[in-house]
Amino acid sequence: MQRRYLSLAAATVATTIALTLTGCGSGSGDGDVTLKLIAADYGDSEANGSQNYWDELARAFEKKNPGIKVDVEVYSWTDVDKKVEDLVKDGHAPDLAQIGAYADYAAADKLYRADQLLSVSTEADFTPSLAEAGEYQRVQYGLPFGASTRRLFYNKKLFAKAGIANPPQSWSDIARDAQLLKARGVKMPYALPLGPEETQAETLMWMLSGGGGYTDGIGKYRIDSPENIKTFNWLKEDLVGKGLTGTDPAQLNREDAFQGFVDGEVGMLNGHPTLMKQAEAKGIDYGTVELPGVDGKAKATMGVADWMMAFKQNGHRAEVGKFLDFVYSDKNVVKFSGEYGLLPVTTSASQAMLADDKYAKLHGFLKQLATAEFYPADKTSWPLVSKTVKAKMGAAVGPKGNPAGVLTDIQNTADAADNAAG
């Protein structure tokens, strides 16, 4: 799976839908309208590619709505955000786009509000934490589509060989267990991927475990907070400095860390639901627990969502709204989430998944979603801040690293970007 959490993040594990008029009609229900859907691919092969999901869903929608057609094109996550960006710049904004960030388009007044599109029941059904994460200036423009949370994965076989009876619950447990794993010859006792692929995700997970985060309670950047400085000093001195990561974190990407885990070379690491499928395919006996914190479990875990948004340019509000109500029906949300190892973004679909033992391995991730913390995607400054984090945080925990100095540099960049945005 080519994704932030993946990546959701990521990056954010993150599917783009663009719906563009290619037929006649005014968008008011007169005549036929064709909505073009550009979607990102969540699959890892042609057999389970997202094209199959969307084609089936589109045909089912068209059968119930004879006056609306949906034409689907699927792009890789490498290309899909840029595809939508180019369409908008060229004056051909899609009707709908589901991509990694919505704030720039909302700030430019290019998007419909959620309440202009969805039925009351559909809008009210979004998981509250996700609905809030989709707000720009307290108004929801981003509709969550596919979510994930993070837990600590550990290799049960390696733990048993090292004499570790229980998974870690705190930082001191992590350090102790990593020492025991190292003594047994485990290549990477704790995998710490702070390479350029998804540094912003691992950084946020550790910030949350230390009681901090990217922002404070009112949304102001607090990257250089005392809690964050303490967290990365601990990583530098007590984990990386003692050789417990097995490799330079600045050179380790998420994908490689996951590969190390499924190859049996990693004792523990932070991961998202898709790692379960990868581990099971390689016969790895694994467990998951909530992220450890300073003195016990972390205050919250990281959540990642991708975003659906509707552009105003083509004026197809009614048709887009009908399609979105269909997309967010329980049946379709559960089907998509189950197929790609993601979490439902609506309360009713989440309850349905929690009640189904078929999805038991996702239940631990799903129960965390209500209190998960997300990237500050509502800020137009976030893309630049994320890019800066990717460039600098890995070196901060290295032998010559200066966590406080790096966090202050990133804070200054964030403040400048926020001020420039007004």
Side-chain angles (χ1 to χ4, degrees), residues 324-389:
L324 288 175
D325 279 337
F326 186 76
V327 167
Y328 285 106
S329 67
D330 283 357
K331 176 183 176 182
N332 290 326
V333 172
V334 171
K335 182 177 180 180
F336 182 85
S337 301
E339 173 70 22
Y340 298 108
L342 297 169
L343 304 179
V345 297
T346 63
T347 299
S348 57
S350 295
Q351 291 171 344
M353 182 173 277
L354 284 171
D356 192 338
D357 289 341
K358 180 172 67 174
Y359 302 110
K361 290 183 178 179
L362 283 171
H363 289 174
F365 293 90
L366 184 53
K367 289 174 182 177
Q368 301 177 146
L369 187 57
T371 57
E373 296 199 15
F374 297 81
Y375 299 133
D378 59 322
K379 289 178 169 288
T380 57
S381 57
W382 170 242
L384 174 61
V385 173
S386 176
K387 181 179 179 180
T388 308
V389 170

Side-chain angles (χ1 to χ4, degrees), residues 32-49:
D32 291 337
V33 168
T34 297
L35 302 173
K36 184 165 183 177
L37 165 59
I38 300 175
D41 196 354
Y42 282 89
D44 53 17
S45 67
E46 185 174 343
N48 76 339

Side-chain angles (χ1 to χ4, degrees), residues 196-207:
E197 178 189 5
E198 206 191 17
T199 322
Q200 82 285 2
E202 190 72 15
T203 295
L204 179 55
M205 281 182 266
W206 278 99
M207 285 177 169

Side-chain angles (χ1 to χ4, degrees), residues 9-261:
T12 99
V13 102
T15 303
T16 293
I17 298 180
L19 307 174
T20 304
L21 175 65
T22 57
C24 60
S26 66
S28 62
D30 300 328
D32 291 337
V33 168
T34 297
L35 302 173
K36 184 165 183 177
L37 165 59
I38 300 175
D41 196 354
Y42 282 89
D44 53 17
S45 67
E46 185 174 343
N48 76 339
S50 297
Q51 185 77 52
N52 301 320
Y53 173 83
W54 285 114
D55 284 348
E56 183 178 339
L57 185 143
R59 302 297 82 79
F61 173 76
E62 291 169 355
K63 188 174 182 180
K64 292 186 176 183
N65 298 272
I68 308 172
K69 301 294 183 183
V70 182
D71 180 33
V72 184
E73 293 180 13
V74 172
Y75 291 81
S76 72
W77 271 106
T78 304
D79 301 324
V80 73
D81 285 20
K82 185 65 163 55
K83 175 66 177 178
V84 174
E85 180 184 344
D86 289 344
L87 285 170
V88 174
K89 285 182 178 179
D90 290 343
H92 303 292
D95 290 303
L96 282 165
Q98 189 219 333
I99 49 182
Y102 60 86
D104 282 347
Y105 298 124
D109 194 29
K110 294 182 180 294
L111 304 179
Y112 286 115
R113 304 188 311 267
D115 64 1
Q116 294 176 306
L117 298 164
L118 305 171
S119 65
V120 173
S121 59
T122 298
E123 184 184 3
D125 199 25
F126 286 124
T127 299
S129 61
L130 289 169
E132 183 177 349
E135 293 179 353
Y136 173 74
Q137 295 185 346
R138 299 184 181 275
V139 177
Q140 186 180 1
Y141 294 92
L143 313 181
F145 188 86
S148 73
T149 60
R150 301 296 189 268
R151 289 170 71 83
L152 179 84
F153 282 69
Y154 63 99
N155 184 311
K156 290 184 177 181
K157 182 178 180 180
L158 295 180
F159 267 52
K161 285 184 176 180
I164 305 169
N166 299 301
Q169 303 293 320
S170 66
W171 287 1
S172 59
D173 291 344
I174 287 178
R176 182 197 64 236
D177 293 348
Q179 287 282 10
L180 292 170
L181 290 164
K182 181 181 179 181
R184 293 291 298 181
V186 175
K187 185 175 180 180
M188 281 188 276
Y190 189 99
L192 183 65
L194 291 174
E197 178 189 5
E198 206 191 17
T199 322
Q200 82 285 2
E202 190 72 15
T203 295
L204 179 55
M205 281 182 266
W206 278 99
M207 285 177 169
L208 293 172
S209 78
Y214 282 122
T215 58
D216 61 18
I218 60 173
K220 181 176 175 58
Y221 283 117
R222 289 290 287 130
I223 294 168
D224 61 349
S225 69
E227 293 85 358
N228 291 342
I229 291 172
K230 177 182 176 182
T231 295
F232 285 90
N233 279 332
W234 184 85
L235 285 173
K236 179 181 185 297
E237 297 166 8
D238 291 81
L239 209 62
V240 181
K242 294 181 179 178
L244 301 179
T245 59
T247 188
D248 179 3
Q251 303 302 317
L252 181 65
N253 281 326
R254 172 79 55 200
E255 182 178 354
D256 297 325
F258 277 17
Q259 187 62 51
F261 188 77

